[in-house]
Amino acid sequence: MRVLAGDIGGTKTAIATVDIDRDDCRVRRLVRYPSADYPGLEEIVAEFLAGEKTRPRAAGFGVAGPVREGVAKVTKLPWRLDVRTLSRRARIPRVALVNDFQAAAAGIHYLRSRQLATLVPGRGERGATVAILGAGTGLGQAGIVRRGGRAVVVASEGGHVDFGPRSAAEDGLVDFLRRRFGRATRDRILSGGGLALIYEYLKSTRAARENAAVAAAFRSEDHAAVISRFALARSDRLCRLALDMFVSIYGSEAGNIALQYRATGGVYVGGGIAPRVLPALKTERFRRAFGEKAPMEDLLAQIPVRAVIDWRLGLFGAAASVIE
């Protein structure tokens, strides 16, 4: 079945034509658009469809925000999405709108081993609950439970819950964020903007001096990308400290979601950041933060954690939303 699929984020919106069935998903044509350059999704879809010879009869979209009765407000964009409006303006009879991490969870079924990287080894229980989380523009989360041999995705806005610090340094980070934003949430920290905020916090504590080359790069590049690049190259101490703290908090949150869903089938780390900082995630720092949660160490020691290195995961799941 050929469908139109979309992954709508606060920074980028990906639109694709996809051939999909119960077991296989193939992307035929894909374009990524800067979300903020468009007044809404309808304009992006119209631009994409202008390049298609035939119009798909069904479309599925994953959106970064809660979906209620076919209507969604994108969390970090001034867009309101409505399946009826999308259907009418795109002239596509069947349209589905789902939370972006509900789509990501549904897309896991279509992944192959080459699209995954092991962060924490383990032996997942066959047929058990699976969890997914992912940092990008924000932090998404979802679970997959089995009911009568069928996978059921449980959507979540758990990224917006309060952040629980585990150390004096993280206590200081919470104070830093609370003074600026009023709340310290997991989403605020585990995102591209969150990595930049961690850097600012550590700079304010004089954990290390700011490198002139880093400050110069900040003037023309995305701050999170700069911090990641210098940290992975081990060419700046402050960037390394920021990424180390980010990775530790990320590992801890992976452990949190494993416990919240009792995800003995495994945890998947999606989102746009994981592939970019993969060497930092494949470290003892991440593994230790994931597993050190007394008295649940034995349970967590059995749970595998895998990073999704194919960023198209959300598109796979968005396409799947119209064949179920």
Side-chain angles (χ1 to χ4, degrees):
M1 177 181 181
R2 180 158 294 187
V3 304
L4 183 72
D7 185 8
I8 296 95
T11 304
K12 294 285 186 181
T13 290
I15 305 291
T17 45
V18 175
D19 288 341
I20 188 168
D21 57 29
R22 295 291 180 186
D23 299 308
D24 192 39
C25 183
R26 295 179 181 272
V27 175
R28 296 301 183 186
R29 174 172 169 253
L30 187 156
V31 181
R32 299 180 81 186
Y33 300 88
S35 302
D37 288 358
Y38 293 82
L41 177 60
E42 294 86 356
E43 288 77 13
I44 292 177
V45 170
E47 185 173 319
F48 180 87
L49 289 175
E52 290 290 303
K53 292 181 179 179
T54 59
R55 191 174 298 265
R57 301 290 295 170
F61 300 97
V63 55
V67 180
R68 297 186 182 90
E69 299 179 347
V71 178
K73 172 70 173 65
V74 185
T75 302
K76 297 187 178 181
L77 284 173
W79 293 2
R80 182 183 183 275
L81 309 182
D82 187 314
V83 292
R84 291 164 295 187
T85 302
L86 287 165
S87 177
R88 184 179 69 253
R89 292 188 58 178
R91 302 199 307 279
I92 295 176
R94 185 180 176 193
V95 174
L97 197 61
V98 296
N99 172 266
D100 60 341
F101 263 76
Q102 186 175 350
I108 288 173
H109 170 73
Y110 295 97
L111 293 175
R112 303 295 179 258
S113 58
R114 67 180 181 277
Q115 295 163 300
L116 298 166
T118 298
L119 304 183
V120 180
R123 297 185 64 182
E125 294 180 9
R126 187 177 180 85
T129 299
V130 169
I132 181 170
L133 76 165
T137 304
L139 177 67
Q141 300 183 347
I144 309 170
V145 298
R146 291 276 173 183
R147 289 292 181 268
R150 181 171 176 267
V152 178
V153 177
V154 181
S156 170
E157 290 297 335
H160 294 284
V161 305
D162 299 316
F163 170 67
R166 301 165 295 148
S167 66
E170 291 181 8
D171 287 339
L173 176 62
V174 168
D175 288 340
F176 176 84
L177 294 173
R178 189 179 295 127
R179 287 195 301 271
R180 183 172 296 192
F181 303 107
R183 281 183 74 209
T185 65
R186 298 171 183 179
D187 177 269
R188 184 71 70 184
I189 296 166
L190 290 174
S191 58
L195 178 56
L197 287 168
I198 292 172
Y199 178 94
E200 286 185 42
Y201 160 65
L202 292 173
K203 178 183 171 183
S204 74
T205 67
R206 295 182 173 83
R209 289 186 178 183
E210 184 168 58
N211 185 326
V214 172
F218 280 165
R219 290 194 284 271
S220 59
E221 298 180 55
D222 175 76
H223 287 202
V226 171
I227 294 163
S228 299
R229 184 172 74 246
F230 277 83
L232 293 173
R234 304 191 65 79
S235 57
D236 179 71
R237 175 170 169 74
L238 187 54
C239 289
R240 285 206 321 273
L241 291 173
L243 186 58
D244 285 349
M245 178 176 275
F246 181 90
V247 165
S248 181
I249 293 171
Y250 210 169
S252 179
E253 181 60 11
N256 288 342
I257 196 172
L259 294 177
Q260 287 161 10
Y261 284 105
R262 201 181 187 279
T264 54
V267 173
Y268 291 82
V269 178
I273 292 177
R276 297 187 178 98
V277 299
L278 191 59
L281 296 177
K282 296 173 71 173
T283 60
E284 180 63 23
R285 186 181 305 278
F286 183 96
R287 292 190 293 271
R288 188 169 59 248
F290 174 80
E292 289 184 350
K293 293 186 180 294
M296 290 289 134
E297 294 97 334
D298 289 345
L299 175 67
L300 290 167
Q302 303 301 315
I303 297 176
V305 182
R306 302 179 182 93
V308 179
I309 56 179
D310 190 330
W311 67 268
R312 301 174 301 171
L313 175 67
L315 285 171
F316 302 158
S321 70
V322 292
I323 67 167
E324 296 178 347

